[in-house]
Amino acid sequence: MATKVFMEALSPTMEEGRLVKWNVAEGTAVKSGDVLAEVETDKAVMELVARGDGVLRKQFVAEGATVPVSSVVGVIAAADEDIGAIVSLAVGVAATAPAAAASSSAVTASATSATNTASAPASAQVTAPVAAPAVAPVVAGSTGPTRSSPLARRLAREGGVNLGAIAGSGPGGRVIKRDIEAAMSGAGAAAPSATTASRAAAVGDFVDEPLTQIRKTIAKRLAESIGPIPTFFLTAEFDMSRVVEMRTQAAALGDDFKVSVNDIVLKAVATALAKHPEVNAHWLGDKIRFFNRVHLGMAVATDDGLIVPVIFDADRKGLRELSRESRELAAKARERKLTPNEYTGSTFSVSNLGMMQIDQFTAIINPPECGILAIGALEDTPVVLDGAVTVRKRMRVTMSCDHRVIDGAVGARFLQELRRMLENPLMLVF
Amino acid sequence: MPIITYREALNQALREEMSRDDRVFIMGEEVGVYNGAYKVSKGLLEEFGENRVVDSPIAELGFSGIGVGAAMAGLRPVIEFMTWNFALLAIDQVVNSAAKMLYMSGGQFNVPIVFRGPNGAALQLGAQHSQAFESWLAHIPGIKVVSPGTPYDAKGLLKSAIRDDNPVVFLEGEMLYNTKGEVPEAEYLIPLGKADVKREGSDCSIITSGKMALVAVQVADQLAKEDIHVDVVDLLTIRPMDVEAIYASVRKTQRAVVLEEGWELCGIGAQVVDFIQRECFDDLDAPVLRVHQADVPMPYAKGLEKIAKPDAAKTIAAIKQVMYRA
């Protein structure tokens, strides 16, 4: 049976894609899962994979061409199968996609299911539905079923919780009882508003706090004074000698224990954030969302510009895992291979320009986050210790704070915590 | 309360029922002069004489058939199989005669008989002598299948089995005979078809019976230390099965693991899972998992035998999986 190859929605906001390169020539045999082509979305270059077995009989779109999501870009079929109907339909490309799906027999079924499967991974990440693409009839069915236990479904029904708005914590994203319970205890936040950007966050992972009058006044007055995000900056200089020692000692244990100073900083930031949810928050206009989980954004410079991949649950990960993940994410970012779920959902971010010999800088907050930490270079600095001048490894960090959420003392307390951890990195073991 | 062995509990049940009702008699290989292959009938020949404690030849089909005939004629035989592995030779009398007589005689002949003996694997007895037959037997309408794991249950259930007016298959265990437990001196009966909750817990149910009930209790006690509270439902009777007890437990815990001694395919656990999915579908927070013997003839080699058997570690792993703690 023939399988149409569609331009799939490879990011939540993708409406069209540019076919960068065909990896498979016409007439080549392919199996389901084989990479057929590279497609540039609005965010990254992604792989378009085969959704069926057979021979790639036709490429309808030339390399370099841009077509809307859901357009038929090729067809996979048996070598001797008649694909005349698909070829003629594909000529009208995008606009005819719904018509094609509705038109005929065997092809329709496989094409529709192929689209559904294809789009499901992308849209499953999305808490709030993305604006429906123009070709609604095909894409509308692509929300994909939410996996859930029968009990979770019953509890959701009884509690009036929207199951689709919950990210499951069970295997394969299955929504289970604890997810529903978390959602229901989450201050009635079961259905996040469409503007919510916390796509990777399950509803129970945070606490929404309505704005108090004083908070409202602070927000309004300070925003009037300076831009839409009234930012202030806190700078501190940490003694990193022990971190450097720890890193050296760990590295001496073997390759398994090699991590960078930056990895240790990430670990410390994540651990400190877990203890200070008051800075691990999103500003949502009418409320502040304080997160109980730490999803740490990590600014990465690429040839195309800045992107912030996310280390999810960074506070719960060990140094080795954190180090490996940050390396992998950075590499993927530079190769433009990040998938949307890898760069959305951060609760706080870190930007490090230390390796470029920047002593100190201010970073711009990535809304709706409320803080970002700018990390400077590690430097040998003369300091007075016990009355004597001595040389220590020092590092300057600057935290940009959204004053609508974080007051000076609140940000300072977080930095105090971070200082304690980085100056006594043994704390990170506990 | 006296603490006695499973073997002694069965012996007491036999003695009490033989004293109470002179229609009750025992027949089987070595039950008399030798006091029983596992000494369950110890002292009974001396006490009740050779008309009521009958040593049979090694002819399972023959003495089982005599037992069925005797039951039809008004006696209440207790047929001992040296093990259920040997009862395969007599399965025609169990399945075709005992189980069907009441039905096929239009209610004219009931068969008040008990077939009893050790079931399941002991230690290194080889593939032919290490089999759990409860699913074979429970498959058959017309017989009840009882599988007690403790001395208390064994005594109370054997007495009820002997008093039952229809055929009862009574599954014991070679590894159980020496286990001990409290058994009251005063007479008591445990009704057939009723499960017993051996441990109360709110986090996960284990549905099990027989020897595996002991494993389940051990698992429950161990997991309690990790703050996982397991509800242990000991079925006691496999047929008829106390489904209400299963439902009550699963509705409480929302998760279940079925633990049995036998093989997976068409096992008791398969039926339990079916009952659960039908009646407790909306209560389940995880798929129901099963723990059972590996799908191979029981290996003789000690290490392999251990791996093939269901045990506490496998049960704990299954529980953690259904609790999403794996």
Side-chain angles (χ1 to χ4, degrees), chain A residues 75-95:
Chain A
V75 61
I76 296 169
D80 53 354
E81 198 171 336
D82 178 12
I83 54 165
I86 298 172
V87 173
S88 59
L89 282 168
V91 174
V93 202

Side-chain angles (χ1 to χ4, degrees), chain A residues 88-145:
Chain A
S88 59
L89 282 168
V91 174
V93 202
T96 58
S103 68
S104 70
S105 63
V107 180
T108 312
S110 68
T112 311
S113 66
T115 310
N116 285 348
T117 333
S119 327
S123 46
Q125 311 290 342
V126 185
T127 309
V130 175
V135 280
V138 177
V139 180
S142 71
T143 315

Side-chain angles (χ1 to χ4, degrees), chain A residues 149-151 154 174 176-177, chain B residues 254 281-285 324:
Chain A
S149 74
L151 176 65
R154 174 163 68 85
R174 182 189 301 153
I176 56 178
K177 180 183 166 193
Chain B
Q254 293 145 354
F281 186 74
D282 286 326
D283 297 289
L284 287 175
D285 201 30
Y324 302 107

Side-chain angles (χ1 to χ4, degrees), chain B residues 7 18 133-134 141 233 254 316:
Chain B
R7 177 199 328 276
M18 289 176 82
F133 288 109
E134 46 268 53
V233 179
Q254 293 145 354
I316 286 173

